[in-house]
Amino acid sequence: MTDIPRPGQPVRGSRSGAPIMALFDLIGRRWAMGVLWTLAEIGPSTFRHLQEKCETISPAVLNQRLKELKAAGLVHRVEQGYAVTQLGKDLYLHLVPLGQVAKVWAENLAEEPLHS
Amino acid sequence: MTDIPRPGQPVRGSRSGAPIMALFDLIGRRWAMGVLWTLAEIGPSTFRHLQEKCETISPAVLNQRLKELKAAGLVHRVEQGYAVTQLGKDLYLHLVPLGQVAKVWAENLAEEPLHS
DNA sequence: CTATTTGCTATTAAATCAATAGCATAATTA
DNA sequence: TAATTATGCTATTGATTTAATAGCAAATAG
């Protein structure tokens, strides 16, 4: 059920399981990046607290994503509940610059509204 | 049908449509990052060529993702078919470093196989 | 004991994704 | 000119994933 994409195994985008494609397969799931991002931002927290911070995520999906992120070693359990691992933090830090891209993107769309 | 997440509008992860969450909502869809990545790597190309490069994507999904990426201004049509826009390239360039993270991640998993 | 918090599952429904076939148009070739 | 090929898709049918909601069992607090 919980099927985690593994580098070296066939994944979306690469029959040979290229690491980047395996990673895309993992974090390219609904809420995956949002959960990682949020957890990294708020620090160690309980399931419910994280759920609140994600604003509209359902417990079922949060639980699913947490399972996957845990299995992938990006998140782990701590006394306080859940937290990102070192690897998870590394990934988060690489996601941070996307915040700037997102802003530029938002501005672009504001100027020139999407036509579809 | 084609529902593109827009910054400023409610999206997954943010009722107020925080740009980063809107972006996550957009590129956190099956194949979205894979398509953007592949297209950026191979340069302008036809629908079919891109489809081949994505190895296992179906035309329906590729078409859907292209629509969304176009509407979001990350991809556009050119004489040769499809290509990433400047904004799309910017995003791609920010995705490139994830390749390294992915490698480390792959090595970690290889050493310590996931326990689930 | 009672209430609350926490992590999570059950259920049911809706949305998304996938696999395959195949069509319409335009360019190319025979 | 007729046939072939390339291209960008759509239609159809299922399978999978996501969603919304309720609620439960275990641990903790009062």
Side-chain angles (χ1 to χ4, degrees):
Chain A
M1 193 119 300
T2 304
D3 191 24
I4 317 290
R6 298 202 53 172
Q9 295 299 125
V11 295
R12 291 185 179 86
S14 169
R15 282 189 248 264
S16 61
I20 187 65
M21 288 301 165
L23 185 63
F24 283 167
D25 200 350
L26 176 73
I27 67 177
R29 294 178 176 190
R30 291 282 164 70
W31 278 107
M33 286 184 286
V35 168
L36 183 68
W37 178 281
T38 304
L39 188 55
E41 295 258 302
I42 67 180
S45 67
T46 65
F47 184 95
R48 294 250 161 140
H49 182 54
L50 179 56
Q51 188 186 344
E52 280 165 29
K53 286 300 182 177
C54 286
E55 298 195 29
T56 57
I57 197 171
S58 72
V61 173
L62 177 56
N63 188 233
Q64 179 68 28
R65 288 296 94 85
L66 283 174
K67 269 188 196 169
E68 294 164 1
L69 293 173
K70 265 192 298 179
L74 298 176
V75 160
H76 65 343
R77 305 234 26 179
V78 295
E79 299 161 88
Q80 300 94 327
Y82 291 93
V84 295
T85 62
Q86 184 57 49
L87 194 57
K89 188 165 190 176
D90 285 350
L91 179 52
Y92 164 72
L93 290 176
H94 280 87
L95 251 33
V96 170
L98 292 188
Q100 271 309 310
V101 177
K103 280 184 189 171
V104 174
W105 173 61
E107 286 158 17
N108 275 27
L109 284 187
E111 293 168 19
E112 195 172 343
L114 43 80
H115 55 292
S116 144
Chain B
M1 188 141 293
T2 303
D3 189 25
I4 315 290
R6 297 203 55 172
Q9 294 299 124
V11 296
R12 291 185 180 86
S14 169
R15 283 188 247 263
S16 61
I20 187 64
M21 288 300 166
L23 184 63
F24 283 167
D25 200 351
L26 176 74
I27 67 177
R29 294 180 176 189
R30 291 280 161 70
W31 277 108
M33 285 184 285
V35 167
L36 182 67
W37 177 282
T38 304
L39 187 56
E41 295 257 303
I42 67 180
S45 66
T46 65
F47 185 95
R48 295 248 162 144
H49 182 53
L50 178 56
Q51 187 185 345
E52 280 165 29
K53 286 299 182 178
C54 287
E55 299 196 27
T56 57
I57 199 170
S58 71
V61 173
L62 177 55
N63 188 234
Q64 180 66 28
R65 288 297 92 84
L66 283 175
K67 270 187 195 169
E68 294 164 0
L69 293 173
K70 263 192 299 178
L74 299 176
V75 160
H76 65 343
R77 304 229 36 172
V78 295
E79 299 162 88
Q80 300 93 329
Y82 290 94
V84 294
T85 61
Q86 183 57 48
L87 194 57
K89 188 166 189 176
D90 286 349
L91 179 53
Y92 164 73
L93 291 176
H94 280 88
L95 252 32
V96 170
L98 292 187
Q100 272 308 309
V101 176
K103 279 183 188 171
V104 173
W105 173 61
E107 286 159 15
N108 275 26
L109 285 186
E111 293 167 17
E112 194 172 344
L114 45 80
H115 55 294
S116 140

